[in-house]
Amino acid sequence: MPIAVDIDVMLAKRKMSVGELAERVGITPANLAVLKNGRAKAVRFATLAALCEALDCQPGDLLRWEPTPQRTADGERTADATGG
């Protein structure tokens, strides 16, 4: 997936458990795990704001874009869509 989720990094920095974060944000630990593991298809801005407030961070600390590897004609993977 081209969007990587770094909630686990922030949890470790803040020495906070998934259960504690879920309680502070007001979502279930199961839903937080879906988001944390990159399986979510979307995140509400209200949830993102609550995560940032609870973790005292910015949205960019939790989400980042990673280029999807592309395949060349011979099947080799390139670093990104531009071939770099």
Side-chain angles (χ1 to χ4, degrees):
M1 174 186 252
I3 301 297
V5 181
D6 291 328
I7 291 174
D8 53 347
V9 173
M10 291 306 297
L11 282 170
K13 286 182 179 180
R14 302 297 187 253
K15 297 181 178 158
M16 189 183 300
S17 70
V18 171
E20 182 181 352
L21 180 60
E23 187 175 319
R24 288 184 183 194
V25 172
I27 61 176
T28 67
N31 283 341
L32 182 56
V34 167
L35 180 59
K36 184 176 83 72
N37 295 324
R39 295 189 316 259
K41 300 292 182 198
V43 60
R44 293 175 191 249
F45 280 171
T47 302
L48 183 57
L51 287 166
C52 290
E53 183 177 353
L55 293 167
D56 189 28
C57 67
Q58 294 294 313
D61 296 325
L62 302 177
L63 304 172
R64 64 188 156 79
W65 177 76
E66 290 184 341
T68 303
Q70 301 294 312
R71 294 203 181 265
T72 61
D74 62 359
E76 292 292 320
R77 285 183 174 246
T78 61
D80 60 28
T82 62

